[in-house]
Structure formats: C-alpha cells, structure tokens
Amino acid sequence: MRLDKLLAHCGYGSRKEIKALLKKQTVTIDDKRIKDGKQQVDPETESVAVDGKEVHYQAYYYWMLHKPAGVISATEDAHTRTVLDLLAPDDRLLSPFPVGRLDKDTEGLLLLTNDGELAHQLLSPKHHVDKRYLARVAGGQVTLETIQQFADGLTLLDGYQAMPARLAVLKQTEAENEVEIIIQEGKFHQVKRMFEAVGMKVTYLKRLQMGSLQLDANLPLGAYRPLTAEELAALKGMS
Ligand code: URA
C-alpha cells in the first residue's frame, strides 16, 4: 500500500497533513528516509517510523460504543450529531462506521469498525444473528398471548411478515411493561413496529447484545472502548 495511505490509516492526519509531515518530519521505511507519500510499503514485512518512533499498523479496528439517545447511527449528517462525533479525532481518522443502526432515541450497544466483511456477516439476514434489547412498553399488558404472537412471527401494520422473536416480561405495572426481546432481523424501527402491531408503544429501547457481544455494564453512556481479543474472536467465530 502507499505510505501516505498507511500513515493516514494509522491516524497521522489527512492526505494533505501527511504530505506536510513527510516534508517536515523524518519518515523512514526500514531506516531509509522517504519523502514521497506515493512510495509503496508492505506493513507486514517493512518497518515504518516517524521521527524514529515505530508506526504500528493495524488493518481493522473494532470498538464497542454505548450509544446515548440523541445521536444518529450514521457517519455524517449536516444537522444532527452522529455516533462518530463521540469518537476521539484520531479514531475518527480511521474511517469506522456503525454496524447496523439504532434509532436516534435508542441507546445501547453499537459496534463500530472499518471491517466491512465482519459487518456484512453480522448484518446479513442469512446469518440469523440474535439482537437482544431491553424495552419499556406502554399501552397495554404484555400477556402470554402477546409472547406467543411474537414467537409465531407477527404481521406488521404494513403487512411485513416478521420472523419469530423471543419476548420475556421482566417487570410489569398497570402503566408499563419492562421486557426483554430477542430478534434476528434489523429492519427499520423493527422492535417499535412489532409492538405497534399488537397495539402497544415502545417508550424506551436499549440494545444489550448483538451475537456474542454484550454491552459492557461498566461502559458509561456515550463512551467506547476497543473490543477485547476474546470478544472479537467470539464475534468472528459465531458470525
Ligand atoms: N428496533 C427499533 O425499533 N429501533 C432500534 O433502534 C432498534 C431496533
């Protein structure tokens, strides 16, 4: 790959900034000073350094984000803050994107990566990856019959036939149900539309798990961290 691309990928700035860096600072490939960003480099076999400090090239990055409400699951938007605005500037330079979407008002687990292949495997309906959510639902009582309707596969109001989903009641008052729901699809507003189909309304939604990956209970809202080696291996193994 090109040296400037490798440096950009490792967070050394935009192409323009890297051009200036190559002029001003000492960038070496196997101890030989290089000023031309077009120079080809093989990060597997050659060692790149900036001012004597070795550059660690990592092709793919994987982060778990605890998405807060109020930001959208996109990489850019003219009006609304996106999940990428929650990242440190250096991490944003690595071009991550969210794997799947959570609505603006939904909280919880969002995987950010630049690994398109893993993203595809996790999102493909063929792979039946479980997504587990905590939801608060108003407008009626979730009963055994409701649970059975979800298990049988609901027909949504627009006629879409949803796949079977697992629903469990965690807490219930007259006004509200707290439930856990596991779905394998990720259609637009899927959980909200499923409850609409039985005459109820989701008032709060949080994703807790995607495949083997569970939201870290110690990760504050709005914070993110790299996946551990174990989390990544499990995710790749199951997808
Ligand atoms: N289902 C929804 O309705 N919204 C989400 O954000 C995720 C699943």
Side-chain angles (χ1 to χ4, degrees):
M1 74 193 303
R2 280 169 58 138
L3 178 61
D4 54 4
K5 197 158 175 228
L6 179 141
L7 291 172
H9 184 88
C10 293
Y12 282 87
S14 63
R15 281 277 171 96
K16 202 169 146 209
E17 287 164 340
I18 285 162
K19 208 167 170 192
L21 181 146
L22 285 159
K23 248 196 221 163
K24 276 198 232 130
Q25 289 170 258
T26 309
V27 179
T28 55
I29 299 178
D30 285 346
D31 297 329
K32 189 164 161 261
R33 174 143 194 208
I34 308 289
K35 290 186 178 175
D36 182 3
K38 292 200 284 297
Q39 174 72 41
Q40 288 293 320
V41 56
D42 179 355
E44 298 289 321
T45 58
E46 292 172 306
S47 158
V48 177
V50 175
D51 290 338
K53 198 164 155 260
E54 196 170 342
V55 173
H56 291 286
Y57 175 77
Q58 190 184 328
Y60 296 120
Y61 293 82
Y62 306 89
W63 292 298
M64 169 191 299
L65 169 73
H66 189 169
K67 180 193 173 297
V71 292
I72 58 169
S73 303
T75 51
E76 54 184 20
D77 191 90
H79 308 289
T80 313
R81 270 168 39 96
T82 75
V83 288
L84 293 199
D85 291 320
L86 300 170
L87 303 187
D90 281 0
D91 290 337
R92 264 206 308 269
L93 286 173
L94 302 167
S95 308
F97 55 85
V99 178
R101 281 193 204 160
L102 292 179
D103 297 337
K104 188 174 173 187
D105 60 353
T106 301
E107 293 178 355
L109 173 66
L110 195 62
L111 175 64
L112 299 173
T113 184
N114 57 347
D115 181 347
E117 196 175 322
L118 180 68
H120 173 74
Q121 286 173 3
L122 289 170
L123 295 177
S124 159
K126 268 193 291 181
H127 288 96
H128 300 289
V129 173
D130 280 348
K131 268 99 43 182
R132 184 164 63 90
Y133 294 86
L134 174 75
R136 292 197 198 107
V137 185
Q141 290 275 294
V142 173
T143 61
L144 286 177
E145 194 193 334
T146 324
I147 293 171
Q148 192 58 49
Q149 284 175 295
F150 276 66
D152 291 341
L154 288 165
T155 305
L156 304 189
L157 297 183
D158 63 358
Y160 177 76
Q161 183 60 49
M163 285 166 63
R166 278 173 279 165
L167 183 58
V169 178
L170 304 176
K171 264 193 243 160
Q172 214 161 31
T173 63
E174 269 199 21
E176 199 173 64
N177 311 267
E178 192 166 289
V179 300
E180 196 170 89
I181 173 165
I182 301 174
I183 57 173
Q184 293 184 331
E185 297 169 288
K187 295 269 184 294
F188 187 59
H189 293 336
Q190 173 104 20
V191 173
K192 292 174 186 165
R193 286 161 65 213
M194 289 172 94
F195 280 99
E196 268 167 26
V198 292
M200 295 182 206
K201 185 169 167 50
V202 172
T203 56
Y204 172 83
L205 190 60
K206 181 177 198 113
R207 181 154 67 192
L208 301 174
Q209 189 168 355
M210 183 177 190
S212 59
L213 189 63
Q214 301 211 39
L215 179 65
D216 183 339
N218 295 317
L219 195 62
L221 261 178
Y224 68 107
R225 66 151 173 84
L227 295 197
T228 64
E230 292 75 24
E231 285 169 336
L232 183 57
L235 204 55
K236 287 189 168 177
M238 53 107 356
S239 63

